[in-house]
Amino acid sequence: MKTLNLTRHTLLACAVTLLVGCGGSSAADTAALTTTATTAAASVVDTAPASATVIDNTTASATTALTAAETTTLLFVREEEKLARDVYLTLYNRWGTKVFQNIATRSEQQHLDIMGNLIATYKLQDPVLDNTIGAFTDPVLLGLYQDLVMRGSTSLNDGLHVGGFIEEFDINDLQEAIDEANAGSKPADIIAAYTNLMCGSRNHLRAFVGQIENNGVDYQAQVISQATVDAIVNSPEEQCR
């Protein structure tokens, strides 16, 4: 479990470093963002629980016993979806660009609810204790939310690049989660949910890249490979379940 968390949070810290290049930040800004993500990542890895707290939920029924790593990932993805929703709603309020509102309200909220239902099914303690925009249990995600909102508030182009970053990060993270589940207890419902969320992330990436390129800017990959990004944006929008 700690190895998986280290991989995820190290990637997050490195990706934030890449993100700051979108708007031409100063060296001081870059160092501050990187330090924030790296410090928070180390804190989460060191304090990662061996298992999640179980709650009494007599209406829920899970068919598979999750491993500790799968449980940690499920809880992380729940807040990760809240991160996307909250950043997009904040950037919509800043720029008034519909792509942020549409993805936040029509898709990310649905993804957040799907993960919440799975947490109830597996009788886990929901990390989303406060649904307020910008409230997070995971300090890594709290720091990332603040960094992304700061970056996305610089210009509309930076905001759209923040959207691209979030979706690339989600695609990478969800594939890791699927691989973990397939190698572990193989929970069919969770794997199906992750697959559906990743389908949505590919569509969102298409939307953000389309907006960026319509503004005359060539989009450069921020987390996953350029070849993977190109393959996604050059293929038709998908019908996700």
Side-chain angles (χ1 to χ4, degrees), residues 199 202-203 206 230-240:
C199 175
R202 290 192 295 268
N203 281 340
R206 292 180 179 103
D230 291 343
I232 291 171
V233 300
N234 292 326
S235 59
E237 182 175 343
E238 300 167 69
Q239 295 299 315
C240 307

Side-chain angles (χ1 to χ4, degrees), residues 107-154:
S107 186
E108 299 299 354
Q109 182 61 56
Q110 181 185 40
H111 291 176
L112 184 60
D113 294 341
I114 288 172
M115 300 315 297
N117 290 338
L118 284 171
I119 285 172
T121 296
Y122 284 87
K123 302 181 181 180
L124 305 175
Q125 179 64 53
D126 191 353
V128 180
L129 303 176
D130 183 351
N131 198 42
T132 303
I133 292 176
F136 297 94
T137 300
D138 188 328
V140 172
L141 292 178
L142 173 60
L144 183 59
Y145 168 79
Q146 295 167 343
D147 292 339
L148 292 175
V149 167
M150 178 180 68
R151 175 58 45 203
S153 298
T154 304

Side-chain angles (χ1 to χ4, degrees), residues 2-165:
K2 289 190 177 182
T3 299
L4 177 66
N5 283 338
L6 180 60
T7 300
R8 174 180 295 120
H9 295 311
T10 299
L11 171 62
L12 189 154
C14 294
V16 169
T17 305
L18 294 174
L19 178 67
V20 297
C22 295
S25 295
S26 67
D29 291 338
T30 300
L33 287 170
T34 305
T35 300
T36 297
T38 303
T39 302
S43 174
V44 169
V45 172
D46 289 343
T47 60
S51 61
T53 302
V54 177
I55 60 174
D56 182 17
N57 189 336
T58 56
T59 62
S61 177
T63 59
T64 303
L66 301 181
T67 67
E70 290 165 352
T71 297
T72 300
T73 297
L74 179 60
L75 299 177
F76 183 87
V77 173
R78 163 78 161 154
E79 277 204 291
E80 193 175 37
E81 294 303 316
K82 184 179 186 297
L83 169 77
R85 185 202 67 178
D86 290 3
V87 170
Y88 296 159
L89 287 175
T90 303
L91 293 182
Y92 172 69
N93 288 335
R94 175 70 175 87
W95 301 113
T97 303
K98 285 291 188 180
V99 66
F100 295 118
Q101 182 187 49
N102 291 343
I103 292 176
T105 59
R106 297 178 185 177
S107 186
E108 299 299 354
Q109 182 61 56
Q110 181 185 40
H111 291 176
L112 184 60
D113 294 341
I114 288 172
M115 300 315 297
N117 290 338
L118 284 171
I119 285 172
T121 296
Y122 284 87
K123 302 181 181 180
L124 305 175
Q125 179 64 53
D126 191 353
V128 180
L129 303 176
D130 183 351
N131 198 42
T132 303
I133 292 176
F136 297 94
T137 300
D138 188 328
V140 172
L141 292 178
L142 173 60
L144 183 59
Y145 168 79
Q146 295 167 343
D147 292 339
L148 292 175
V149 167
M150 178 180 68
R151 175 58 45 203
S153 298
T154 304
S155 71
L156 175 57
N157 182 59
D158 284 319
L160 294 171
H161 274 86
V162 161
F165 166 80

